[in-house]
Amino acid sequence: MGADKKQEERLDYLLHEFKEDSGRYRDLETGKDYGEKRMLLRSLMNIRMPGKINENVVKVQDEFLTEEAREKGIVELTDIPTAAEQYGSSHPYADKISVWQGDITRLRAGAIVNAANSQMLGCFVPCHKCIDNAIHSAAGIELREACSHYMNRRRMQYGARYEEPTGQAVLTKGYNLPADYVIHTVGPIVGGSLNQKLKDDLESCYRNVLECCVEHGIRSVAFCCISTGEFHFPNDEAAKIAADTVTGFLKEHDPDFDRIIFNVFKDVDRELYEAELKR
């Protein structure tokens, strides 16, 4: 039996189980097109609240997502040139820093960074294009469950209204991602003009993620462009803060890291980060 056929069987099984689990969408028509069925499964996973589900469902989900990751193509650190290799950067840590444009959920790194929101449970909007949704969708429902356990512990400690503060770093396993871990950080939201407090908060995101890596022996980490999407932080200022914070941190912790990757999605961000490393 080919992998494609096996994946389709897994998809059909998961669709049935997640529809049953939802209750509300139990009788939803799924159609026959693989792409449409896959989007529906992602939607059902996105809207699902944390909570127990049959162990076999998790097992099949893990098999499905692991195979899907393999099919998408796992990107190894050795596939990504350093700034020194790519454009002869004279940056003092050009041999440890990379700018890579692509899907962060394909990276096999020690950790990838998720731009989370203060509720810390991922994005509940079906198939939303934010990185929070992409990471949770590729990792599987265990990631939301782990984040929920974390938030429940915090609420027991700090009260029922607790929300994750801006600038902290929370470590979870990567589950079905190629990366070993996910480090979640809540970036600052720019609602009006940019000010020093917002800049300091973004710097805290980068610094605390790096501190988390050192604390847990994580030697490679891929940063997304924290706060530049839904949170409206100006891309050029964000790139400068990211590059400066990483550079300053490496001055004290150079031996603790093998690679730090600035993962970008848009051309404008790639150009901005490359310019920072070429200065």
Side-chain angles (χ1 to χ4, degrees):
M1 184 179 293
D4 290 344
K5 179 66 174 175
K6 189 67 177 176
Q7 277 295 82
E8 188 145 15
E9 288 180 358
R10 290 171 179 144
L11 177 58
D12 288 340
Y13 169 79
L14 291 170
L15 270 174
H16 175 268
E17 294 298 323
F18 276 95
K19 285 197 301 177
E20 286 292 316
D21 177 72
S22 74
R24 179 179 178 184
Y25 299 103
R26 183 172 291 138
D27 299 323
L28 191 66
E29 291 291 328
T30 57
K32 295 184 178 180
D33 179 76
Y34 185 92
E36 290 179 3
K37 289 194 292 185
R38 180 63 186 93
M39 292 291 280
L40 177 56
L41 176 62
R42 177 170 174 172
S43 297
L44 290 167
M45 291 169 65
N46 291 161
I47 64 174
R48 185 180 186 273
M49 295 298 292
K52 292 291 184 182
I53 197 168
N54 184 284
E55 287 183 7
N56 192 59
V57 176
V58 177
K59 176 178 177 291
V60 175
Q61 176 218 237
D62 291 350
E63 293 169 348
F64 179 79
L65 292 176
T66 299
E67 175 60 20
E68 195 167 70
R70 190 194 67 78
E71 290 172 355
K72 283 195 301 184
I74 294 171
V75 178
E76 307 284 351
L77 295 182
T78 52
D79 298 327
I80 302 174
T82 64
E85 294 167 335
Q86 191 165 14
Y87 34 81
S89 170
S90 59
H91 186 279
Y93 304 105
D95 60 336
K96 290 195 171 185
I97 298 176
S98 300
V99 179
W100 183 71
Q101 188 171 17
D103 179 358
I104 199 170
T105 68
R106 294 175 59 203
L107 282 176
R108 196 193 305 277
I112 61 172
V113 176
N114 179 31
N117 58 54
S118 62
Q119 299 301 310
M120 275 290 294
L121 295 180
C123 172
F124 284 87
V125 180
C127 300
H128 194 249
K129 293 183 178 181
C130 70
I131 196 161
D132 199 9
N133 189 297
I135 288 174
H136 274 264
S137 296
I141 60 172
E142 299 101 313
L143 183 56
R144 178 167 286 168
E145 189 72 8
C147 289
S148 176
H149 286 311
Y150 167 80
M151 289 298 284
N152 287 340
R153 291 194 302 270
R154 303 297 275 182
R155 285 174 179 147
M156 286 178 65
Q157 187 175 3
Y158 297 109
R161 294 180 179 274
Y162 176 84
E163 294 185 1
E164 185 65 18
T166 300
Q168 302 302 304
V170 178
L171 182 73
T172 65
K173 291 195 294 185
Y175 296 99
N176 296 293
L177 292 161
D180 295 328
Y181 297 98
V182 179
I183 304 177
H184 309 260
T185 188
V186 180
I189 300 173
V190 181
S193 59
L194 190 63
N195 56 43
Q196 191 58 47
K197 173 69 164 57
L198 293 167
K199 293 180 183 180
D200 291 345
D201 284 345
L202 186 60
E203 180 183 338
S204 293
C205 289
Y206 284 92
R207 187 178 62 253
N208 285 327
V209 166
L210 294 168
E211 291 280 9
C212 180
C213 289
V214 172
E215 180 182 351
H216 295 278
I218 298 168
R219 299 190 58 83
S220 60
V221 60
F223 283 101
C224 62
C225 298
I226 303 165
S227 281
T228 58
E230 300 290 317
F231 288 4
H232 306 297
F233 206 103
N235 298 62
D236 54 349
E237 287 285 348
K240 183 178 188 310
I241 290 167
D244 287 350
T245 305
V246 166
T247 301
F249 196 86
L250 283 175
K251 288 179 182 178
E252 302 294 330
H253 296 279
D254 182 15
D256 294 316
F257 289 92
D258 296 324
R259 187 74 70 89
I260 296 175
I261 297 170
F262 293 119
N263 170 251
V264 299
F265 182 72
K266 298 177 181 178
D267 289 342
V268 64
D269 288 315
R270 175 178 50 78
E271 292 164 4
L272 286 167
Y273 277 97
E274 288 179 350
E276 287 296 326
L277 296 177
K278 289 176 182 177
R279 285 195 299 161

